[in-house]
Amino acid sequence: MLSSLTTELYRRVRPLLFSLEAETAHHLAMGALATASRLRFPLPWLRAASGADRSGTAQARTVFGVHFPNPVGLAAGFDKNGVALTAWEALGFGFIEAGTLTARPQPGNPPPRMFRVPERRALINRLGFNNGGAEAAAERFRRLRAAGRWPSIPVGINIGKSKATPLAQATEDYVFSLGKLHPHGDYFVLNVSSPNTPGLRSLQGRDELDALLRAVQQKNRTLPAPRPMLVKIAPDLSFPQIEEILDLARQHELAGIVATNTTVDHTSLPASVPYETGGLSGEPLRARSTEVVRFLAGRTPLPIIAVGGVGDAASAREKLDAGATLVQLYTGFVYGGPTLVPEICRGLSANKTGMDAERPSLP
Ligand SMILES: Cc1cc2nc3c(=O)[nH]c(=O)nc-3n(C[C@H](O)[C@H](O)[C@H](O)COP(=O)(O)O)c2cc1C
């Protein structure tokens, strides 16, 4: 089977990729996927090589009015500018979250800013929203659609605050990006939880988030087709803080919650790992992220997109069992490679116990 060969190939290629600096390897992979997306003819091969042609549709679901062919999505940050959309579809993803895109283009923090922790299948990053800006992305998305190169899976768009915009004007930044990008996103995520933009996480505070959600939803309602609006939260919030966010989510009619972003808590890493400032993702985040998802699911009927430490079918099922409706992954893909997502989908279909479990009942 071609996908078994791909798995073996990735096992052999990964040490070479991992011998490169983490961000260099990322750009190399993204370059290859963007090229495949642009040329189109490699996509059927990519589908067969990843095993996506055998994923089936048993896990399809409709969430906040959007149809997802399977529940495993690409987490925000991998394809910030949305340059490889059809390649992700060929790799078996059920949806893509492009972004974080900001109102202004920006280079992000100085490199090095992305680090692997292979012994824990983890990453640490302090990229700081390096991206080409909302306007450029909107123009590229418009051209992709016009050229018939838009994927058939849902595309969510994750938006954040530009570093140069003062916190007091953050709301205008989000509203601007929504205005530019709204025709292209099947759903939108307000990222208020990245640890790498100074002050951003303070937008999770009651008053700040209240103002942000009010302004964004006001803008959203004026658009020809208002989009499902979600908020992405940090795993480092306390449960009372999360309850406050849920209150606001109800008040402002959000469509769901994305949980979680990376953590600033590095205490789970062995002392031998050199300290690097930034958000920790992957396996060390798995348990806390699941805990947050379970807490949310016990308190809200809103759909939850669970992200944090998903790297195989068992960890995906753990999130769904905790009450998530969809899952996403980033770090797991770096370690697992191109056959991972179809493998997860087949694993979920093979044992549907988790999928059929009732959502925990609300108190
Ligand atoms: C290198 C890197 C860059 C990321 N960039 C973003 C981003 O731009 N916006 C965002 O909302 N999350 C970003 N994330 C967080 C991921 O979307 C995800 O929430 C987190 O990594 C946990 O999932 P994982 O354990 O599957 O990686 C980034 C993560 C990594 C590792």
Side-chain angles (χ1 to χ4, degrees):
M1 219 174 307
L2 190 53
S3 63
S4 317
L5 279 177
T6 314
T7 306
E8 181 54 24
L9 190 67
Y10 190 64
R11 210 176 57 77
R12 287 167 190 253
V13 166
R14 204 178 66 176
L16 290 176
L17 272 178
F18 278 24
S19 69
L20 302 172
E21 194 271 320
E23 194 177 348
T24 307
H26 175 81
H27 288 313
L28 211 72
M30 275 308 304
L33 292 173
T35 304
S37 267
R38 203 169 36 248
L39 297 178
R40 282 200 272 187
F41 73 83
L43 296 175
W45 177 83
L46 206 56
R47 259 187 90 68
S50 68
D53 54 346
R54 295 180 295 113
S55 291
T57 53
Q59 302 298 321
R61 58 204 60 200
T62 298
V63 188
F64 36 73
V66 178
H67 179 75
F68 294 79
N70 76 58
V72 185
L74 179 73
F78 210 119
D79 189 0
K80 290 180 194 278
N81 294 306
V83 294
L85 299 179
T86 45
W88 299 116
E89 181 176 9
L91 288 167
F93 283 95
F95 64 110
I96 309 152
E97 195 170 302
T100 295
L101 288 158
T102 55
R104 313 180 198 198
Q106 56 182 36
N109 292 322
R113 52 191 184 174
M114 189 171 167
F115 309 89
R116 298 183 200 93
V117 188
E119 60 271 47
R120 295 298 317 277
R121 292 176 87 87
L123 294 172
I124 298 170
N125 91 85
R126 51 170 179 266
L127 291 170
F129 296 164
N130 50 315
N131 78 104
E135 218 158 356
E139 175 53 22
R140 188 174 40 262
F141 293 165
R142 190 195 60 72
R143 275 189 271 115
L144 285 179
R145 282 181 184 279
R149 293 198 285 126
W150 194 253
S152 61
I153 55 175
V155 177
I157 301 182
N158 178 307
I159 54 180
K161 184 190 85 68
S162 318
K163 189 176 181 188
T165 302
L167 258 185
Q169 283 146 37
T171 292
E172 290 146 48
D173 240 48
Y174 286 87
V175 167
F176 175 87
S177 296
L178 175 64
K180 291 288 168 202
L181 291 161
H182 85 269
H184 307 296
D186 290 295
Y187 69 88
F188 279 81
V189 177
L190 306 174
N191 182 3
V192 286
S193 48
S194 164
N196 303 314
T197 295
L200 187 87
R201 285 173 302 157
S202 69
L203 297 174
Q204 293 173 115
R206 175 175 269 285
D207 293 346
E208 293 83 351
L209 191 59
D210 186 34
L212 177 65
L213 297 184
R214 175 165 298 114
V216 166
Q217 287 292 58
Q218 233 164 40
K219 173 74 180 179
N220 195 19
R221 285 186 203 105
T222 66
L223 299 172
R227 297 296 196 244
M229 191 64 59
L230 291 83
V231 68
K232 182 166 179 178
I233 65 171
D236 307 311
L237 296 170
S238 66
F239 287 148
Q241 286 174 313
I242 295 176
E243 269 177 336
E244 273 188 0
I245 292 176
L246 282 180
D247 242 14
L248 293 169
R250 249 187 312 272
Q251 270 175 48
H252 293 288
E253 300 178 342
L254 293 191
I257 311 282
V258 184
T260 66
N261 215 311
T262 55
T263 177
V264 291
D265 179 0
H266 294 200
T267 50
S268 60
L269 292 181
S272 54
V273 175
Y275 183 79
E276 291 291 351
T277 310
L280 174 65
S281 57
E283 238 171 54
L285 176 60
R286 173 176 166 180
R288 175 61 187 165
S289 146
T290 302
E291 197 181 5
V292 171
V293 168
R294 190 170 292 113
F295 180 82
L296 287 165
R299 276 156 190 80
T300 179
L302 287 178
I304 300 158
I305 303 183
V307 50
V310 173
D312 55 18
S315 47
R317 189 175 302 117
E318 173 184 296
K319 294 284 195 276
L320 296 164
D321 285 351
T325 314
L326 300 165
V327 301
Q328 293 177 325
L329 50 92
Y330 185 135
T331 308
F333 186 76
V334 170
Y335 289 95
T339 53
L340 178 66
V341 173
E343 269 162 33
I344 293 178
C345 291
R346 286 195 298 274
L348 290 174
S349 296
N351 176 355
K352 289 184 66 190
T353 9
M355 307 298 301
D356 295 336
E358 288 289 318
R359 278 279 297 271
S361 56
L362 301 179

